[in-house]
Amino acid sequence: MKKDLYMQFYRTMYKIRTFERRIEEFSMKGDIPGFVHLYIGEEAIATGVCANLTHQDYIQSTHRGHGHTIAKGAKVNRMMAELFGKKTGYCKGKGGSMHIADFSVGMLGANGIVGGGFTLATGAALAEKIKKTNNVSVVFFGDGASNRGTFHEALNMAAVWKLPVVFVCENNEWASTTPYLTTTSVKDISDRAVGYGIPGEIVDGNDVFAVYEASGKAIERARKGEGPTLLEMKTYRIKGHYVGDPQLYRTKEEVDQRFEENDPIRRFEDHVLSEGILSENEMKAIVEEVVGEVDKAVEFALESPFPDVEELYSDLYVD
Amino acid sequence: MKKDLYMQFYRTMYKIRTFERRIEEFSMKGDIPGFVHLYIGEEAIATGVCANLTHQDYIQSTHRGHGHTIAKGAKVNRMMAELFGKKTGYCKGKGGSMHIADFSVGMLGANGIVGGGFTLATGAALAEKIKKTNNVSVVFFGDGASNRGTFHEALNMAAVWKLPVVFVCENNEWASTTPYLTTTSVKDISDRAVGYGIPGEIVDGNDVFAVYEASGKAIERARKGEGPTLLEMKTYRIKGHYVGDPQLYRTKEEVDQRFEENDPIRRFEDHVLSEGILSENEMKAIVEEVVGEVDKAVEFALESPFPDVEELYSDLYVD
Amino acid sequence: MREITFSEATLEAMREEMKRDPSIFVMGEDIVRQGGIFGQFKGLPDEFGTDRVIDTPITETAIIGAAIGASLAGMRPVADMHFADFMGVCMDEIFNQMAKIRYMFGGQTTVPMVIRAPDGLIRSAAAQHSQSIESWFNNIPGIKVVAPSNPADAKGILKAALRSNDPIIYFENKDLFRMKGDVSEDEDYIVPIGKAKVVREGKDVTIVSYSIMMQQALEAADILEKDGYSVEVIDLITLSPFDEETVIQSVKKTHRLLIAHEAVKRGGLGGEVAAVVAEMAIDYLDAPIIRVGGKFTPVPFSPTLEEAYRPKTSEIVEGVRGMF
Amino acid sequence: MREITFSEATLEAMREEMKRDPSIFVMGEDIVRQGGIFGQFKGLPDEFGTDRVIDTPITETAIIGAAIGASLAGMRPVADMHFADFMGVCMDEIFNQMAKIRYMFGGQTTVPMVIRAPDGLIRSAAAQHSQSIESWFNNIPGIKVVAPSNPADAKGILKAALRSNDPIIYFENKDLFRMKGDVSEDEDYIVPIGKAKVVREGKDVTIVSYSIMMQQALEAADILEKDGYSVEVIDLITLSPFDEETVIQSVKKTHRLLIAHEAVKRGGLGGEVAAVVAEMAIDYLDAPIIRVGGKFTPVPFSPTLEEAYRPKTSEIVEGVRGMF
Ligand SMILES: Cc1ncc(C[n+]2csc(CCOP(=O)(O)OP(=O)(O)O)c2C)c(N)n1
Ligand SMILES: Cc1ncc(C[n+]2csc(CCOP(=O)(O)OP(=O)(O)O)c2C)c(N)n1
Ligand SMILES: [Mg+2]
Ligand SMILES: [Mg+2]
């Protein structure tokens, strides 16, 4: 049981990392159109949180959404095709990186609007409350997004109505080119929970076990009808804001050091090896499996056709 | 000195009360057009806060703005004329009750948009900071408004930039027909200060001395460049949400009892009498002066002409 | 058939559809204890409980955002805006989320929801409580916009909206709520979205209007009739995308067109109607296309100014007379 | 005169005006360390300090609200929107406060501020980062809207905006930022707000356009010239209220009108231009008024679809050919 879970952690984190590395490569070459924001270095968050969720639960994601999508159970081939703008992508090529989604697994979409997901996730939770299920809804958001008015409106609404929604802040210390403390009035964003009378907790966002546990508790609380929780996952943005960002606002040394000290995948590997939970071979097998899957996804994407021009007019209205 | 201040408190509170009673009367008769929201029972707040301000300081008000406007130093005759839609009103009849303003005394306007004033007041404070004056800006807002996203965005911005702005919540327990605890996730709205790393304080909003003192401290702090404060004035809405509100959502007994127990003007009178600060005669003189002023304002408003039709097209653009 | 008010007609539509379909719920400010500012939700809390009739905080952003989220989770939310003037608060949710979600996610989901937005002038409510902003949404693909002009249509098209799988904005004029009229009792009485109605046939000129301005349009038609002009009057009912065919057919017959709405004339919906006709049927036109609408100013408070702002029957009459 | 980019031209305007007038300051996201997404603020923090060049939180509502408040307190704020697509977030502040404050308070104050809003398609930025929403503001009295099409005008009209006492929305097309052109070095080089420019004279047809679509308009004019048509091209520059006189005079001469913009055709600004002409000069028209604009869908991501969405030179050419 525990071992299965650990293997799942590794598989998911490694799949995200591998996916993102390939995306970076293709995006730098100009093969992937549009803006691309990578999740490298933050894999433990999506992985740990989504391991507590079923496909009946919902997540709302951000512009940095590939990791959430993979962790929620989407297939990398249709994701890859979408990012390449192909007909076989999840959104038939209409969405791209900033609008990746797989509704069949409860992944309600990346969002190009920073802070756009708070109220949507709250609404999905409201629906489940009205329907009297015990499904929950989780919204991922950045430190930068935590300053938007939608944060406040959604947390207040969710708290008053005790909705089954968990607010997961990915505090990676940067909002685009801006260090978070220059635009955010509290060091610990979890402090803001006080303003809504709900629990707020700081979590080591690069420790998949800590993430799994803290979010598991919050999700359980939500399922039981006890209302929302605000979790702040402390992490760090390893890559530029978007692929191609010259990053003039920080040094390469700073980034390298933070990554070396705190790569969530390396930390996981060290831990499971030293505790003897997974063997080198077991991990190698996972790596091979995952790399193969992503390679196939690349092939699938490259071979897929672009959407037909008529596709422009479909999916606008139902009736 | 102290006596002057106390006389000013009484004059302002009584003027607001008298003004509002007359407005209620004319509004019920249908002589005053549009929506009218009365400040009766909340007079101590505007009075106590504005006693700390000069005409170089700014206030932003709400839909319930007559009291703030009077307390900031506007003339009741031009206010009255505005509420009647007359040419001689502050806004030439274009604004009415929900858009009463007197820029010459730093009263930057009532606002028909609940929560519309937070960011405007923050901007006025930003301007003063850039200009390196020590003027401050105060925004009044309701318990209902405290849930709007603009609250969050403004408090965060003001806190990060340490702007000279004071946020004054008038928690009158009702937002229109809704008891505040059914839509607000914290009992004490001042708790929300924690989320911005600024001081938050609960104040007895029906005690003009307490209001004066607490807001004085906050305003002083702002003037010194130490940043914003969130003050929560506990009060109670004595009248309907608007003139004509059938108030089916609460009993007359409840309201009467609250008013009897906690009328800010009666509390003031009892206090200054028992402390021997003002005599009955001194107070009577103030009452007469104020009632006379409001009577004259009514006359002025009634005698003033409506704006000419051509006035429709003026004041749209400057250039 | 019996006479009820516009407000009651919308209430009936809500009641019938909420009974039919448990996934419909309604939320907004001051609904539960007040029954809506215009009584348009009266009694719903008692009948359907406060799980399905919900008082919200004063947070239009969260109201619309939550409605969108709930619709993605299989519900059919109705979100009340209190006043259409407050739609600026949630404009991002309306145009970047609600309108685009189905399309940008490649048809993976639907967003069946209705925004109810009371609009228009009402005795001196002034600049922030009197607006008609329907034309903005005409430029936003992915939304449908309707605006009934009478109790019967109010019921029929609200029912259509509640059964639709597309996001719909339902503008209801504040002053129309108390209008009385015959309304069908048929529980399947539907006014189809996307179809305009020729409410009065004529040969000499076409007046296109909708919502409360239909009253002035019909009044003008009566006056003009006495002058000897035969006036055709079209009620658009659906404003976006509007029924181009019905308008064009009419203009091809009458050769003259006037469009009237309470919204500001400049940049109003009338421009789009005029442009479609100037593109599709210009050869049939025997006169300039005239638009009548609100003046190019915010809505002023004082009764004299508000009256000067308001588009009037006389402007329609003069406009038509000038065509001959 | 020397060749500089559109982005540099706006930077020059900012620099010159900020030197002239200490009440001008600029705020927005990612200005200080990045110099704006399109380099349009590069160097300003060094020159004017971070008191006057300010990085904000990601809070468009507070950015616009604070700009309004600062303008009431005597400053002249410039607020950068990052992408015009985010204007929905602060739409309430724009239309209920910024546009109305001077009017509804009876002229007691002015609201001198400029919103800079990069708009339009840029390589596959998709549904929420590609929009042109200028037509909404045409329906909102109290705002002026400008949209230059080249570096010279970009500088001249930004300077005019920075000196104006009215609130102005300055739409700058994202793809135009790298366009090069001759730009005046005169520190008082002003392009007046409210005036359109006839950038090419012709006799047979008028093409009205603005912003990036001016390139397609001029390209089409070249192609049509070879067919033997003499094409007049008007650059509106100011979109609201636009220069009706110049358009009408041109149509009276050419008798034919086509309007082209990148924004969605339906409900776009072209409708207003067409309607004004159909009201004021219909007797002069010898052909239908044709509009070319974005298709009625959200902007899709995939390059093939984005290209299908984009209004094209060939559509303008076909449109004009069809008039004869
Ligand atoms: C409403 C809105 N404003 C601005 C942007 C531009 N933008 C995109 S991502 C971003 C930074 C987001 O920072 P954060 O929320 O911390 O997320 P992170 O990128 O660090 O994951 C900004 C400013 C946007 N997409 N939406
Ligand atoms: C954005 C917005 N939403 C809704 C309204 C309608 N409205 C006007 S006043 C009010 C209640 C305000 O309550 P509160 O903020 O507590 O102020 P109070 O009236 O108690 O002084 C509401 C809902 C509005 N004017 N603006
Ligand atoms: Mg971040
Ligand atoms: Mg209140």
Side-chain angles (χ1 to χ4, degrees), chain B residues 98-123:
Chain B
M98 264 195 292
H99 309 298
I100 189 79
D102 178 2
F103 280 69
S104 73
V105 299
M107 195 292 177
L108 302 184
N111 209 316
I113 301 298
V114 168
F118 293 116
T119 61
L120 272 61
T122 300

Side-chain angles (χ1 to χ4, degrees), chain A residues 33-34 82-83 85 93-96 98-99 111-113 147-148 176-179 183 249 306-309 312-313 316-317, chain D residues 30 33-34 55-59 83 86 89 123-129 295-298 300-305 308-309:
Chain A
E82 186 59 37
L83 268 65
K94 285 176 178 167
M98 264 194 293
H99 308 298
N111 209 318
I113 302 298
N147 297 320
R148 275 214 50 207
S176 192
T177 67
T178 311
T183 56
Y249 45 84
F306 283 103
D308 304 324
V309 167
L312 177 66
Y313 296 101
L316 186 58
Y317 296 109
Chain D
D30 300 304
R33 289 171 191 77
Q34 189 182 39
D55 261 358
T56 64
I58 306 174
T59 54
F83 286 78
F86 307 150
V89 174
R123 210 173 172 285
S124 285
Q128 294 171 337
H129 287 73
K295 309 303 180 291
F296 194 65
T297 69
F301 167 71
S302 186
T304 55
L305 298 179
Y309 168 91

Side-chain angles (χ1 to χ4, degrees), chain B residues 37 42 62-64 98 112-115 141-146 148 170 172 174-176 237 241, chain C residues 29-30 58 60 81-83 86 89 129, chain D residues 92:
Chain B
H37 307 87
E42 308 182 28
T62 68
H63 55 286
R64 200 176 298 290
M98 264 195 292
I113 301 298
V114 168
F141 61 98
D143 44 285
S146 79
R148 275 215 50 208
E170 303 179 317
N172 63 10
W174 290 91
S176 191
R237 201 192 69 217
H241 173 55
Chain C
E29 296 155 21
D30 300 305
I58 306 174
E60 287 76 13
M81 285 280 91
H82 224 64
F83 286 79
F86 308 149
V89 174
H129 286 73
Chain D
D92 181 61

Side-chain angles (χ1 to χ4, degrees), chain B residues 196-213:
Chain B
Y196 314 101
I198 61 170
E201 200 182 325
I202 298 173
V203 183
D204 178 347
N206 284 24
D207 175 352
V208 70
F209 308 104
V211 171
Y212 176 72
E213 213 166 290

Side-chain angles (χ1 to χ4, degrees), chain C residues 1 40 51 59 129 144 175 185 237 249 257:
Chain C
M1 289 271 200
Q40 71 271 46
D51 261 14
T59 53
H129 286 73
K144 291 183 180 176
D175 226 18
E185 277 164 287
I237 312 175
Q249 284 315 318
L257 174 63

